Amino acid sequence: MDRLNLGSLTTESRNQNTLDIDRVSTIEMVKKMNDEDKKVAEAVEQEIPHIAKAIDEIVLRIKKGGRLIYIGAGTSGRLGILDASECPPTYGVSEELVQGIIAGGQEAIFRAKEGAEDSKELAVEDLKSKGLNENDTVVGLAASGRTPYVIGGLEYANEIGALTVSITCNANSSVAKEANIAISPVVGAEVVTGSTRLKSGTAQKLVLNMLSTGTMIKLGKVYGNLMVDVQSTNEKLVERAKKIVSEATGVNIEEADKYLKETNSDVKLAIFMILSNLNKDDAKEKLEKHDGYIANALSDKN
């Protein structure tokens, strides 16, 4: 692999639609950006079968005690950290379940440390520090599909027997070749040549949204389309919890509040108690029997 041959990468090619973007009016500039952004969702749509397969495989491993670990450099790494950090408050999971690793460590989240992406060994060290095992999933994020740090991480994950998934924006990339499941939305040349925080970054964010949200839905963290494991960690979320219980069950806000107080703000348990007419202990036992999946627990008549 010629790491310096950027000309062969779609993400590094010049966009013929934006050659004059520095000379047009502001509104025309923004319109050009918007026109290019419209292509992103279509590119992601082409990858839906791979995304769905990844979700199902991730869920299988999490149910065996595994974790979902994102690894990347630069913008890609930051997107992984963003997605991981939003899972605990949204779905009530531990901070260990979904994790993000970025080349160069915590400092690289805020300040570019571009050289860190060139080390395969650094990725291995970072994954070893997490105690990577065969039940884990490692998702390698690299817009270019050629980042050595990500390749090294996926190679090591494959050696361990973990599930490997790639999210890249170039077809047939080196990163994709290392993954059990390759997700490659090819969004085309960027508005500003090589600035992959734009369309490529948006595509990666959309895929990450699907992976984490789909995984949490399959783990029973959603009932209907409601976040039933949301954590009431601030005033807004306390009110949201009441609203979720009310909308899921049809009771008024005051009744929802009563059940939330009884369950120590456990939204899922409060909903299931109301819908099943079970007391707290029996409702909790039945939910646990069905791994917290309300719909399945409700269909169990035993």
Side-chain angles (χ1 to χ4, degrees):
M1 177 180 63
D2 182 2
R3 287 165 48 192
L4 299 180
N5 184 20
L6 298 181
S8 64
L9 304 177
T10 302
T11 51
E12 297 291 334
S13 60
R14 292 195 73 185
N15 191 321
Q16 296 303 303
N17 298 323
T18 61
L19 294 174
D20 60 349
I21 199 166
D22 62 327
R23 298 185 297 280
V24 298
S25 68
T26 305
I27 195 164
E28 183 63 20
M29 174 186 71
V30 174
K31 185 177 183 301
K32 283 178 179 286
M33 293 183 72
N34 182 242
D35 286 343
E36 291 299 314
D37 286 342
K38 291 174 184 176
K39 301 173 183 178
V40 176
E42 293 178 356
V44 172
E45 183 179 11
Q46 299 302 311
E47 297 301 306
I48 283 176
H50 301 135
I51 297 168
K53 182 179 180 181
I55 291 169
D56 286 338
E57 293 293 333
I58 291 166
V59 170
L60 286 175
R61 282 159 178 77
I62 288 178
K63 286 183 176 181
K64 294 177 182 177
R67 300 163 296 173
L68 174 56
I69 299 173
Y70 301 129
I71 188 167
T75 298
S76 298
R78 294 182 193 101
L79 288 169
I81 288 170
L82 173 63
D83 195 79
S85 68
E86 291 175 342
C87 287
T90 308
Y91 297 110
V93 297
S94 74
E95 293 180 359
E96 296 295 311
L97 186 67
V98 186
Q99 302 182 37
I101 302 173
I102 186 171
Q106 186 171 356
E107 185 183 348
I109 300 172
F110 308 100
R111 185 176 292 108
K113 295 185 70 174
E114 304 296 351
E117 74 173 51
D118 293 330
S119 173
K120 286 186 175 185
E121 294 73 25
L122 183 60
V124 175
E125 291 175 14
D126 288 343
L127 288 172
K128 282 184 176 179
S129 73
K130 298 290 184 181
L132 190 73
N133 66 74
E134 68 275 8
N135 290 326
D136 294 329
T137 299
V138 176
V139 178
L141 293 152
S144 67
R146 54 161 288 281
T147 309
Y149 178 83
V150 177
I151 293 171
L154 293 179
E155 287 175 343
Y156 176 68
N158 284 328
E159 290 174 15
I160 295 297
L163 174 69
T164 51
V165 179
S166 66
I167 305 176
T168 68
C169 294
N170 282 305
N172 303 313
S173 69
S174 299
V175 167
K177 290 172 184 174
E178 293 296 334
N180 301 135
I181 303 171
I183 301 169
S184 305
V186 180
V187 296
E190 296 287 1
V191 168
V192 175
T193 306
S195 183
T196 52
R197 71 186 187 89
L198 300 175
K199 289 194 295 182
S200 295
T202 301
Q204 290 179 93
K205 180 66 168 73
L206 291 178
V207 174
L208 288 168
N209 286 348
M210 291 178 175
L211 286 183
S212 58
T213 304
T215 295
M216 295 303 158
I217 291 171
K218 291 285 188 176
L219 290 173
K221 303 293 182 181
V222 173
Y223 176 60
N225 60 358
L226 299 170
M227 298 182 291
V228 292
D229 273 324
V230 66
Q231 299 297 290
S232 302
T233 53
N234 60 36
E235 186 175 341
K236 178 189 75 174
L237 293 176
V238 167
E239 294 306 311
R240 178 179 288 170
K242 296 176 189 176
K243 188 170 183 288
I244 289 172
V245 173
S246 175
E247 290 187 354
T249 63
V251 304
N252 59 36
I253 293 295
E254 290 73 22
E255 187 77 358
D257 186 40
K258 185 187 83 171
Y259 275 92
L260 284 168
K261 286 176 178 173
E262 183 178 351
T263 61
N264 194 28
S265 299
D266 188 325
V267 174
K268 179 183 287 182
L269 183 56
I271 290 171
F272 189 61
M273 283 177 65
I274 296 168
L275 294 179
S276 66
N277 291 315
L278 294 172
N279 63 44
K280 184 170 75 171
D281 291 339
D282 289 344
K284 186 173 183 180
E285 182 179 345
K286 196 162 192 178
L287 267 179
E288 289 174 352
K289 174 184 172 184
H290 291 279
D291 297 322
Y293 212 113
I294 291 178
N296 289 349
L298 286 171
S299 66
D300 181 357
K301 302 305 181 183
N302 296 323

